[in-house]
Amino acid sequence: MTGETVLIAAFSARALAASARRAGYLPLTVDCFGDQDTVALAHASRCLPARVQVGFTARPLMAALESLVAEAPSPPIGLVLGSGFECNPRLVAKLGARFPLIGNDAETIQRTKDPKHFFSLLDDLGVPHPETRLEAPADPEGWLMKRIGGSGGLHVHACPAKPRPDKRRYFQRHAAGKEISLLGLVSEKSAAFAVSRQWTSPLPRRPFRYGGAAGSLPIDEDLEARLIEMSLAVAEALKLKGIVSFDYLVDEGAPSLLEVNPRPGATLDVFDDASGTLFKAHVEATRDGDPAALLASDWHPPVARAAAFLYADRGPLTAPAVDWPAWAADRPQPGSVIGAGQPLATVTAEGETVEAVLATCGERLGMLETLLYDTSNEQGANQ
């Protein structure tokens, strides 16, 4: 148990806060939801609104972090950034000028999320990827439009016939294949990887909305070796540090790299263990340590685990007061209003095989949706 404090900022800080707690740190969190479990995990927390398209606003975020530092029982060891910052490297630079960043700095994020630089680098390295361009194609058929620095799949759309000019957008040919992601822990000394399967939870206007992930995914040894080789080459070229993710499509054994997310992501829920070893390794990697050695000696993940997002797809919901099952996380505060289609909670499952945990996760998504909507309707009717 370190007892040290650590700052965490993300659209949703719960997974990072939970891992930090398991690792013995006292998390100080800023996020957009202020869920019950996030508040319970944090030594102190702040809830700030933020738009998915543009992320956090600098002044209120900085003020929230400063107030957490003022309340901390000891000076924080640094600031861990989750989702919500890839679209704004300038903000990351401001944060890095004030707090030690545990993870990648603004320049690294800029290099990684700039499509012109990133896909040119992949070409130089010989890493296959879908055809990508900054200008809209003359014929939009078979093309996707993506937002630079977007997350959660909400920024991905079929390319319209006449897209409006927008420097924040780029275009990528729609490719077939299974979605496979590598969680990487990388530093100048070593690297380690874990493989997960990901899936979407589509809506008519959001066909690529993130659904969940499951791992560790057993795949062909030659394919796994190739994925690791490509990911290592990209990580070294971009000078990545800490927990990052590499998102691939694999079609008939042929991998194609879609993007790299230079920060901890949703698969933290899939691969972390009871000791928060991934958080420890993230800190170790940022300090130019040897995360692979730490994982080899201390990491004890479950054989298989899945984590899936439950969305408010049955319509807007006033979060009810319920007896939450142990396998549900990101529990909204009672009385908070969840808009239609917005994230409602996270469901997890553990088991002996990926197939088993996927089945359990699907059942639990239905059970939790029924519990929340039925209870919300009952409590609303009794008011």
Side-chain angles (χ1 to χ4, degrees), residues 228-251:
I228 290 174
E229 180 183 12
M230 292 190 296
S231 299
L232 273 173
V234 173
E236 291 174 0
L238 292 171
K239 299 181 180 179
L240 296 171
K241 289 185 178 182
I243 297 176
V244 295
S245 61
F246 303 81
D247 293 341
Y248 290 90
L249 284 177
V250 178
D251 185 27

Side-chain angles (χ1 to χ4, degrees), residues 199-234:
W199 63 89
T200 59
S201 178
L203 288 176
R205 295 185 61 186
R206 298 287 188 269
F208 298 95
R209 184 178 65 169
Y210 178 80
S216 293
L217 183 69
I219 61 174
D220 176 79
E221 290 184 3
D222 290 340
L223 173 60
E224 183 175 16
R226 189 176 180 198
L227 292 173
I228 290 174
E229 180 183 12
M230 292 190 296
S231 299
L232 273 173
V234 173

Side-chain angles (χ1 to χ4, degrees), residues 3-366:
E4 297 174 296
T5 61
V6 59
L7 292 163
I8 295 171
F11 278 150
S12 174
R14 189 271 313 159
L16 279 165
S19 185
R21 271 287 181 185
R22 292 191 290 265
Y25 293 94
L26 299 179
L28 310 165
T29 64
V30 179
D31 78 350
C32 302
F33 298 100
D35 292 328
Q36 295 181 61
D37 35 358
T38 305
V39 173
L41 288 162
H43 178 78
S45 63
R46 300 289 184 272
C47 183
L48 288 180
R51 293 171 54 203
V52 172
Q53 293 84 354
V54 296
F56 291 95
T57 303
R59 186 172 296 179
L61 175 61
M62 193 70 74
L65 291 169
E66 293 287 6
S67 69
L68 290 171
V69 171
E71 293 182 17
S74 62
I77 64 168
L79 169 62
V80 178
L81 300 178
S83 61
F85 294 92
E86 301 96 314
C87 61
N88 196 346
R90 289 185 180 181
L91 176 56
V92 176
K94 290 180 180 179
L95 295 170
R98 171 61 182 88
F99 308 102
L101 291 180
I102 302 174
N104 292 294
D105 60 18
E107 291 183 1
T108 303
I109 293 172
Q110 175 71 37
R111 289 195 302 267
T112 306
K113 303 312 291 186
D114 175 7
K116 183 177 181 180
H117 180 274
F118 179 72
F119 291 103
S120 295
L121 173 65
L122 297 190
D123 290 335
D124 292 342
L125 295 173
V127 174
H129 62 85
E131 182 182 356
T132 305
R133 55 192 300 170
L134 298 180
E135 302 297 329
D139 180 2
E141 183 68 25
W143 284 82
L144 301 175
M145 183 174 69
K146 299 185 174 185
R147 181 170 52 83
I148 296 173
S151 61
L154 298 175
H155 65 293
V156 183
H157 306 272
C159 182
K162 294 183 178 180
R164 291 179 296 178
D166 189 340
K167 293 181 179 179
R168 298 171 299 177
R169 302 284 183 181
Y170 67 102
F171 303 87
Q172 192 170 74
R173 192 175 290 280
H174 191 191
K178 295 181 180 180
E179 299 174 36
I180 290 179
S181 181
L182 264 63
L183 178 146
L185 260 161
V186 296
S187 75
E188 293 182 357
K189 291 185 178 179
S190 69
F193 297 91
V195 183
S196 67
R197 170 190 168 189
Q198 299 195 3
W199 63 89
T200 59
S201 178
L203 288 176
R205 295 185 61 186
R206 298 287 188 269
F208 298 95
R209 184 178 65 169
Y210 178 80
S216 293
L217 183 69
I219 61 174
D220 176 79
E221 290 184 3
D222 290 340
L223 173 60
E224 183 175 16
R226 189 176 180 198
L227 292 173
I228 290 174
E229 180 183 12
M230 292 190 296
S231 299
L232 273 173
V234 173
E236 291 174 0
L238 292 171
K239 299 181 180 179
L240 296 171
K241 289 185 178 182
I243 297 176
V244 295
S245 61
F246 303 81
D247 293 341
Y248 290 90
L249 284 177
V250 178
D251 185 27
E252 296 183 353
S256 182
L257 182 58
L258 297 179
E259 66 175 345
V260 173
N261 291 311
R263 43 80 179 171
T267 54
L268 188 63
D269 275 334
V270 174
F271 292 118
D272 201 23
D273 61 10
S275 300
T277 305
L278 290 187
F279 196 92
K280 296 175 189 176
H282 184 61
V283 174
E284 181 76 7
T286 301
R287 292 172 172 172
D288 295 326
D290 188 352
L294 177 62
L295 293 177
S297 61
D298 296 343
W299 187 37
H300 303 288
V303 175
R305 182 189 285 152
F309 284 10
L310 174 64
Y311 294 95
D313 287 345
R314 282 173 51 179
L317 175 76
T318 299
V322 299
D323 185 10
W324 286 87
W327 41 259
D330 299 316
R331 307 169 180 183
Q333 298 286 352
S336 57
V337 178
I338 314 298
Q342 295 301 304
L344 185 50
T346 298
V347 165
T348 60
E350 291 186 17
E352 293 300 319
T353 66
V354 168
E355 291 74 17
V357 298
L358 285 172
T360 302
C361 237
E363 294 172 359
R364 289 176 174 178
L365 284 170

